[in-house]
Amino acid sequence: MKQAERLNVYKTYKLFVGGKFPRSESGRVYEVTDSKGNWLANAPLSSRKDARDAVVAARKAFGGWSGTTAYNRGQILYRVAEMLEGRRDQFTAEVAAGEGLSKSKAAAQVDAAVDRWVWYAGWSDKVAQIAGSANPVAGPYFNLSVPEPTGVVAVLAPQESSFLGLVSVIAPVIVTGNTVVVLTSEKSPLPALSLGEVLATSDVPGGVVNILSGKVSEVAPHLAAHMDVNAIDLAGADAEESARLQVAAADNLKRVLRPSATDWTAEPGTDRLLAFLETKTVWHPIGV
Amino acid sequence: MAMDKQTFEYAPAPESRAVVDIAPAYGLYIDGEFTDAADGKVFKTISPASEEVLSEVAQAGPEDVDRAVKAARKAFEKWSALPGSERAKYLFRIARILQERSRELAVLESLDNGKPIRESRDFDLPTAAAHFFYYAGWADKLQYAGFGPAPRPIGAAGQVIPWNFPLMMLAWKIAPALATGNTVVLKPAETTPLSALFFADICRQAGLPKGVVNILTGDGSTGAELVSHPGVDKVAFTGSTEVGKAIARAVAGTGKKLSLELGGKAANIVFDDAPVDQAVEGIVNGIFFNQGHVCCAGSRLLVQESVADEVLDSLKRRMSTLRVGDPLDKNTDIGAINSAEQLGRIRALTEAGEAEGADRWSPECELPSNGFWFRPTVFTGVTQAHRIAREEIFGPVLSVLTFRTPAEAVEKANNTPYGLSAGIWTEKGSRILWTADKLRAGVVWANTFNKFDPSSPFGGYKESGYGREGGRHGLEAYLATAAEPSNERSERESERDR
């Protein structure tokens, strides 16, 4: 007797907010297709309320995350890479389908993304030494400048590079102690939503990374105008959106990283790492 | 004053005005020449201590802004191509001439701004000269600054500065811009244009190539015109948070690099173990330095409840000895408020303080009949909801709040959209470091206040702006990072294409 072909178990892709996996509060989803237009999944279509909930979760997590030791943060980020390594096949399949890549090209993207986590993980306890300074002031004072995380960072992930690009914008933000609300690639959100599952099992505290899928045109203006967001990375915005979002970001003088043509496969340098840091300078008199 | 009975009277000790020669009128400094505004408009600058007219200066309009920006862009080609070591020598020359002419410039600054000569002489001028000296040394060492192996300048910078430290703010803007190979169009504040115009003469004496520094006098409309001019590649602004936000909106989508140094409402935290006399000196310096016209002024005193009475009694005693009056008198502690407009703002906010229920106190002191003056003032019984605890007053007005635990102090200190500076007074080292770590502010002074140095980065968190001035960090605002456009590169590339 011929055995019936086994029916796949589909995954319900959900948001990742405050360490939990909620659906969009709006109850909406949108259809995600592969490059040929075949249905892959329904992704949550995030609303303004989802964005606000995510900011609340990110703010709540900021004190604890920024207060961990750099060594600890480095280990946690390295743990993310370890978890990703074990899920390479899954991410390769999602990247291949979403970006229309061959399996080997998709695998190369995933490998590079894992390596990027490792690269950024190592920065946690080094960035203060390249970004800080002891300042030789003309007087009897101890004077030290140290970098500190700027706070809650909203990130519009790159539209085309749905996984390597995503990792390349999240890791540099959180390794220094910021927390993040990331809006995934609109067209290819699945690898990003699956990343939430990796983060949930990697000792990353809930709320440090919050992942929303949806439309840039709908969600980004609320993130850019939100008064409890300290900075915004506009990597995933086009020129017209970027200009509008910069205007909104001025409401509370968010630090803005403007979009620029980026080869996500190239070694990233320190720009994204340093873009979301504040410099604090402490003075104290020297005397007996 | 009660103290008068126990101490000798001060004899007047005025600094001579003869050392400075102010012309009756000044033009705009564009491309190495002084010229009138295209539409011939002028305005008067007065001494805020006497309301006497000091001079008449040009009001730059759109045509003048355009001319100045074009001059800066043209000068950029050669200036940015100079070896860093040559640029350095120009900056060293400027630093030295500032030192040579410091007495003249200090008197000029006190006349135009109203600040005590003791401060312009001992603080503004030395700090301005030191800033040029510091950045001069960077000009030929930029490849070691941590911004890549071949850091590039951005292009023509439009710079708008405030009236509280006119020449020092000019130095903070121009020195790093020039050291990194940019050229500048600088607009001094409407009420304090003179020292920038004298600086133009220093550029002439230093032999600076024409067009590298251009000075446009004018009001806010000139500044708005400058920052939105399409030929400006970089915008730097120091001033109010409100204007800073307007500038951030104006440059949105243009690709112009922006640095902002804006308002503040700094907490000066006094713990119960602080040495009271030192803390009181720090509180006084924190809020009454430069009439409180300081963005990083310690305008909110947070004092631990158990020592609040002792600290306040001592503070009031000390405030009674402050001498308010003639800025040119070497014994003056507090000079004139910079303008009638600013005086009105201080009055409105202090009236709101009283209306909202805080207790106001000032020492008895006679104020001159002409000019703009405000007594050093302290408010007690202030709550976090009061306007005087939330809004920047930018005058000699201190708001006092109390706290019980270090956690409460930090909570209150950070309860503001600003984040420029903060002060900590305690003898316990671990408490200093804990508190400094928790404060969301760009500069933290522990057991001191209002200290500045060219090598020490200055700038704010949150709505106090972004970017740093001073130190290695200060170079970043004037260098194109890998992802940012540089006028230099685009011009070279277009040359290759031809």
Side-chain angles (χ1 to χ4, degrees), chain B residues 32-73:
Chain B
E33 307 279 343
F34 276 103
T35 57
D36 292 339
D39 59 10
K41 279 193 186 151
V42 295
F43 63 98
K44 292 177 170 57
T45 182
I46 64 168
S47 162
S50 63
E51 298 175 63
E52 148 204 14
V53 173
L54 295 173
S55 186
E56 203 169 71
V57 299
Q59 160 77 34
E63 262 184 70
D64 308 302
V65 170
D66 188 55
R67 228 159 42 83
V69 171
K70 281 185 175 141
R73 290 187 75 84

Side-chain angles (χ1 to χ4, degrees), chain A residues 204-228:
Chain A
V204 179
V208 170
V209 179
N210 303 278
I211 302 174
L212 304 175
S213 54
K215 292 183 185 309
V216 170
S217 60
E218 183 181 0
V219 179
H222 298 299
L223 291 173
H226 199 297
M227 294 300 273
D228 205 27

Side-chain angles (χ1 to χ4, degrees), chain A residues 20-283:
Chain A
K20 297 193 163 62
F21 295 95
R23 293 186 165 90
S24 169
E25 67 79 38
S26 67
R28 301 174 307 171
V29 293
Y30 69 108
E31 194 170 297
V32 179
T33 60
D34 67 16
S35 56
K36 297 187 187 74
N38 301 310
W39 185 86
L40 288 172
N42 293 322
L45 185 61
S46 299
S47 64
R48 175 174 78 163
K49 179 71 163 65
D50 293 319
R52 288 179 166 184
D53 290 347
V55 172
V56 169
R59 174 60 62 195
K60 202 172 155 202
F62 177 67
W65 182 242
S66 60
T68 57
T69 64
Y71 178 42
N72 195 1
R73 275 200 305 277
Q75 288 184 92
I76 290 173
L77 260 67
Y78 185 77
R79 178 78 175 157
V80 175
E82 289 179 344
M83 293 296 103
L84 276 180
E85 183 83 13
R87 295 239 228 163
R88 281 166 70 233
D89 290 348
Q90 179 200 338
F91 282 102
T92 299
E94 284 176 344
V95 169
E99 298 184 23
L101 299 177
S102 68
K103 198 178 166 218
S104 65
K105 281 192 175 145
Q109 293 273 312
V110 174
D111 288 350
V114 177
D115 292 352
R116 187 128 312 156
W117 274 112
V118 174
W119 191 77
Y120 275 119
W123 270 114
S124 70
D125 48 8
K126 293 153 196 82
V127 68
Q129 291 178 318
I130 66 153
S133 58
N135 309 310
V137 297
Y141 294 92
F142 170 84
N143 181 296
L144 190 73
S145 292
V146 292
E148 290 192 344
T150 199
V152 173
V153 180
V155 172
L156 310 184
Q159 295 301 333
E160 301 308 322
S161 185
S162 64
F163 191 59
L164 176 58
L166 174 88
V167 164
S168 303
V169 294
I170 294 178
V173 173
I174 63 170
V175 68
T176 56
N178 295 293
T179 57
V180 66
V181 176
V182 61
L183 183 62
T184 67
S185 161
E186 200 167 307
K187 182 172 67 70
S188 311
L190 302 186
L193 295 173
S194 291
L195 179 68
E197 297 156 21
V198 170
L199 297 170
T201 54
S202 304
D203 306 327
V204 179
V208 170
V209 179
N210 303 278
I211 302 174
L212 304 175
S213 54
K215 292 183 185 309
V216 170
S217 60
E218 183 181 0
V219 179
H222 298 299
L223 291 173
H226 199 297
M227 294 300 273
D228 205 27
V229 171
N230 298 99
I232 187 163
D233 180 345
L234 298 175
D238 65 31
E240 201 179 305
E241 286 161 345
S242 162
R244 264 204 309 275
L245 295 170
Q246 285 177 47
V247 172
D251 284 355
N252 68 337
L253 293 167
K254 286 178 189 67
R255 287 77 178 113
V256 177
L257 186 60
R258 297 166 181 165
S260 60
T262 307
D263 174 6
W264 299 107
T265 61
E267 183 171 309
T270 55
D271 283 4
R272 298 199 108 77
L273 199 62
L274 302 178
F276 303 110
L277 293 174
E278 303 290 331
T279 297
K280 177 185 280 175
T281 300
V282 181
W283 293 67

Side-chain angles (χ1 to χ4, degrees), chain B residues 258-485:
Chain B
L258 178 62
S259 47
L260 298 170
E261 202 271 88
L262 308 174
K265 192 74 190 175
N268 202 358
I269 305 170
V270 178
F271 287 101
D272 58 6
D273 67 334
V276 172
D277 288 350
Q278 282 177 41
V280 164
E281 282 309 306
I283 294 164
V284 166
N285 176 38
I287 187 61
F288 301 123
F289 174 58
N290 204 41
Q291 297 72 246
H293 299 329
V294 186
C295 46
C296 51
S299 54
R300 283 185 299 153
L301 174 63
L302 300 184
V303 57
Q304 198 151 14
E305 208 173 80
S306 51
V307 292
D309 289 343
E310 185 190 357
V311 169
L312 280 169
D313 288 348
S314 183
L315 174 65
K316 287 178 179 177
R317 258 201 315 278
R318 177 68 180 87
M319 283 170 68
S320 299
T321 68
L322 292 172
R323 301 177 59 80
V324 183
D326 182 8
L328 287 187
D329 191 309
K330 290 170 213 161
N331 291 322
T332 292
D333 296 307
I334 299 180
I337 300 302
N338 180 255
S339 66
E341 190 192 356
Q342 186 57 27
L343 183 59
R345 206 170 293 147
I346 297 168
R347 281 183 176 151
L349 273 163
T350 48
E351 280 159 18
E354 284 184 276
E356 289 182 333
D359 299 315
R360 177 178 187 157
W361 183 88
S362 287
E364 281 303 313
C365 60
E366 237 175 87
L367 299 179
S369 47
N370 292 330
F372 317 124
W373 305 93
F374 200 86
R375 286 188 180 84
T377 300
V378 56
F379 277 98
T380 50
V382 179
T383 76
Q384 295 187 82
H386 288 164
R387 284 182 67 195
I388 53 170
R390 292 185 289 121
E391 296 178 33
E392 187 175 40
I393 300 173
F394 223 65
V397 181
L398 179 68
S399 302
V400 183
L401 298 93
T402 58
F403 67 92
R404 290 184 180 172
T405 64
E408 186 189 351
V410 165
E411 179 79 30
K412 285 183 168 170
N414 287 339
N415 185 15
T416 165
Y418 296 116
L420 189 52
S421 65
I424 304 168
W425 297 86
T426 170
E427 287 288 69
K428 191 176 176 190
S430 58
R431 186 183 290 150
I432 291 173
L433 295 177
W434 180 89
T435 310
D437 190 52
K438 298 274 183 253
L439 291 169
R440 303 289 288 164
V443 184
V444 177
W445 289 291
N447 292 324
T448 184
F449 209 93
N450 271 344
K451 290 287 180 287
F452 306 87
D453 192 275
S455 72
S456 178
F458 183 90
Y461 284 40
K462 301 194 281 186
E463 293 189 25
S464 289
Y466 36 73
R468 292 292 178 270
E469 294 183 291
R472 181 190 73 81
H473 295 77
L475 296 168
E476 197 262 337
Y478 292 95
L479 291 171
T481 64
E484 287 164 346

